[in-house]
Amino acid sequence: MATPAEPPDTAAPGFTDVEGFADVPENPFVGPMPADFLWGVATSAHQVDGHTVGNDWSRFEAQPGVIAEGAVSGPAADHWNRLEDDTALIRDLGANAHRLSLEWSRLEPEPGRWDAAAWEHAELELALLEQAGIAPMLTLLHFTLPLWLADRGGIAAPEFPRRLERFANEAARRLAGRVRLWCTVNEPNVQMVFGYVTGQWPPCRRDPELAARAFAGLLKGHALAAAAVRRHRPDARIGAAVHLVLAEPLRSWWPPDHLAAAQVRRGFNWPFYDAVRDGVIRLRLPGFPRLEEPMAELLGSADFVGINYYRRNLVAFDPRSPGWASLHQGPGLRSDAGVEMHPAGLLQLLRQAWRRYRLPLIVTENGVADASGQLRPTYLRVHAHGLARAVAEGIPVQGYFHWSLLDNFEWTDGYTLRFGLYRVDFPSQRRIATPGVAEFRRLAALLRDAAARPAGLTSR
Ligand code: IFM
């Protein structure tokens, strides 16, 4: 069980002051908030469950030197065996929602064979959330692929979209009674870039042709999976979670840097949802094959835009880098991952996404690697302020999921980065509340007040 934390220290100055984000009031909800605003935490199965052994990541991790400090995911946060206790932690946070993922390799360990016990486990987790009054958002694909699918070409394989559709169909057939909010794929842009451009993640390829196929495969998989879910739950609310970077020119006086920053936005941030908006899979990036493939099923496949926001990057024109752009950190406060925290960027991206797509927005992830636990309270408060400002501008932001409930397996960074509101003491697995817990709870209460506030009234 959790151990209580010190009261939050919300005074942690150092955020770059753009649009007043270094001076956010104690109550960041400056106006009325939507009554049904989702205020939750996010996790993914491979990162917290423990002992997921049949996927591409578990095989990759076993290779020497690929994960920081030689770690493997192993028992992770042992969430698989702690469903009751972890659900109680979510409830105690004052959260009304939880984004979690299905681990495909456990549920379909061989093509077409569904593992009854694994599905029962998923149902149990959802039943516990329901009893606790917490709405689930269920992600179908959060990076990890069953080995049998990885070995047939993974997300770049021609059969991938249909495979994801079948998996979605089975998930919705069994679980849609308990789940209205669905996320088809997590960070398709990251999975494509790390898997097929930089080659740091499985399948460790650097192949523009395959990268383009992977991108198209994820989009087609999303569209087919969304339709499958909707067949079982016509009132489902479905989206994908895209990683958005606030890309700005490194040298404001140097036009090529402006072009490079625009290239990052065009090539990384927007292609997924542009395709959903247009019903055409398009890729136009230097060094990559051009794609122009209509797919009618993409149209109307998303009810919201899922935004994972962590960072600003300053971009320099650099013909030696993929996409001719190299990424740099700005002058602001940095997380343990060396990433500049730039809360104003959340508001800017919410504005941009709303202008571009005119769809409701949900912040499906936002969080900070912070082993000290001291940055997180302020980080939460200033990002909550971004949500409130967006809502005040009339942008339909409908929810926020903090990454993450627990410290977890952070991909190639292993266990060196701590994103948890609850610190996990490895290997005892004890959950220890960081100062972020009290702040998350305080914000949950303020949000409830702001949701009850009549339109036109602002907080002081
Ligand atoms: O842990 C990851 C998550 O799996 C995807 N989004 C970013 C998080 C933090 O790096």
Side-chain angles (χ1 to χ4, degrees):
M1 279 309 283
T3 320
E6 295 296 304
D9 172 10
T10 52
F15 290 100
T16 317
D17 194 12
V18 177
E19 291 197 54
F21 272 84
D23 188 21
V24 171
E26 283 299 299
N27 181 356
F29 298 111
V30 285
M33 293 293 284
D36 48 1
F37 195 88
L38 302 161
W39 183 248
V41 286
T43 57
S44 90
H46 185 74
Q47 293 178 271
V48 293
D49 278 354
H51 303 299
T52 47
V53 291
N55 66 30
D56 53 348
W57 267 87
S58 49
R59 178 167 62 192
F60 171 68
E61 290 155 29
Q63 297 170 35
V66 294
I67 309 290
E69 298 181 342
V72 292
S73 54
D78 195 32
H79 174 66
W80 184 269
N81 296 310
R82 290 162 196 261
L83 293 186
E84 279 88 354
D85 287 354
D86 287 347
T87 306
L89 295 183
I90 302 172
R91 194 199 46 223
D92 292 350
L93 280 166
N96 61 15
H98 175 41
R99 176 171 173 239
L100 68 165
S101 76
L102 294 176
E103 176 52 41
W104 191 348
S105 66
R106 283 197 198 256
L107 298 159
E108 190 181 4
E110 292 162 27
R113 180 168 77 77
W114 307 115
D115 186 280
W119 284 104
E120 266 166 39
H121 188 89
E123 278 175 49
L124 172 64
E125 181 157 20
L126 293 169
L128 289 169
L129 289 170
E130 193 173 295
Q131 282 158 25
I134 297 161
M137 175 186 281
L138 198 56
T139 305
L140 291 166
L141 180 70
H142 195 117
F143 299 147
T144 54
L145 292 172
L147 277 174
W148 57 263
L149 182 53
D151 289 341
R152 292 166 179 227
I155 56 174
E159 68 181 282
F160 170 78
R162 290 284 170 205
R163 289 283 176 195
L164 185 63
E165 178 190 29
R166 260 172 249 163
F167 178 56
N169 182 61
E170 190 63 15
R173 188 179 75 73
R174 292 172 183 260
L175 309 175
R178 294 191 194 274
V179 184
R180 183 166 181 224
L181 284 164
W182 294 78
C183 177
T184 53
V185 293
N186 179 69
E187 296 185 350
N189 47 350
V190 170
Q191 189 160 7
M192 168 205 168
V193 169
F194 283 0
Y196 295 89
V197 180
T198 66
Q200 290 155 282
W201 285 13
C204 306
R205 305 294 298 263
R206 287 187 192 187
D207 182 333
E209 186 75 42
L210 275 180
R213 272 196 243 156
F215 169 68
L218 286 166
L219 267 163
K220 292 177 189 172
H222 153 81
L224 297 180
V229 170
R230 245 184 260 288
R231 279 196 289 277
H232 292 276
R233 177 108 197 213
D235 71 340
R237 299 195 51 235
I238 306 172
V242 179
H243 189 109
L244 296 186
V245 174
L246 187 80
E248 295 185 331
L250 178 66
R251 294 155 293 191
S252 56
W253 45 270
W254 181 234
D257 286 1
H258 284 264
L259 292 176
Q263 188 79 276
V264 171
R265 297 193 289 269
R266 256 203 318 273
F268 185 77
N269 281 357
W270 306 127
F272 192 91
Y273 266 95
D274 280 1
V276 171
R277 179 194 60 198
D278 300 340
V280 181
I281 301 170
R282 271 199 196 95
L283 200 64
R284 291 179 190 159
L285 275 182
F288 289 81
R290 280 170 79 92
L291 291 183
E292 181 84 23
E293 197 181 334
M295 185 189 187
E297 295 93 324
L298 281 165
L299 293 170
S301 61
D303 305 296
F304 64 87
V305 180
I307 295 175
N308 291 2
Y309 176 67
Y310 289 88
R311 68 182 70 205
R312 164 166 81 164
N313 272 126
L314 301 181
V315 187
F317 172 71
D318 179 0
R320 291 159 309 174
S321 300
W324 296 0
S326 61
L327 304 182
H328 304 264
Q329 298 302 323
L333 209 60
R334 294 200 187 171
S335 73
D336 294 349
V339 167
E340 187 201 24
M341 290 171 274
H342 190 73
L346 177 60
L347 176 58
Q348 286 163 267
L349 287 166
L350 290 169
R351 286 175 183 149
Q352 291 173 23
W354 170 238
R355 265 202 307 272
R356 212 172 170 95
Y357 304 121
R358 296 284 156 180
L359 278 176
L361 310 174
I362 297 180
V363 178
T364 34
E365 283 182 30
N366 168 246
V368 57
D370 172 29
S372 76
Q374 294 302 313
L375 289 172
R376 196 166 291 108
T378 308
Y379 184 94
L380 271 163
R381 182 167 52 99
V382 292
H383 285 85
H385 187 58
L387 305 171
R389 299 248 308 251
V391 169
E393 289 177 17
I395 299 173
V397 187
Q398 299 185 335
Y400 173 89
F401 291 87
H402 190 73
W403 185 274
S404 184
L405 172 67
L406 301 165
D407 289 339
N408 53 52
F409 178 72
E410 181 51 32
W411 310 113
T412 46
D413 289 311
Y415 291 101
T416 59
L417 298 179
R418 293 189 175 260
F419 279 91
L421 284 160
Y422 288 92
R423 184 180 175 87
V424 176
D425 177 49
F426 302 110
S428 80
Q429 300 289 356
R430 202 158 54 92
R431 275 63 168 141
I432 303 158
T434 69
V437 166
E439 181 63 0
F440 190 97
R441 208 181 278 138
R442 187 183 78 89
L443 293 172
L446 291 173
L447 176 64
R448 283 194 294 275
D449 290 349
R453 202 180 289 150
L457 287 188
T458 51
S459 78
R460 282 182 296 150

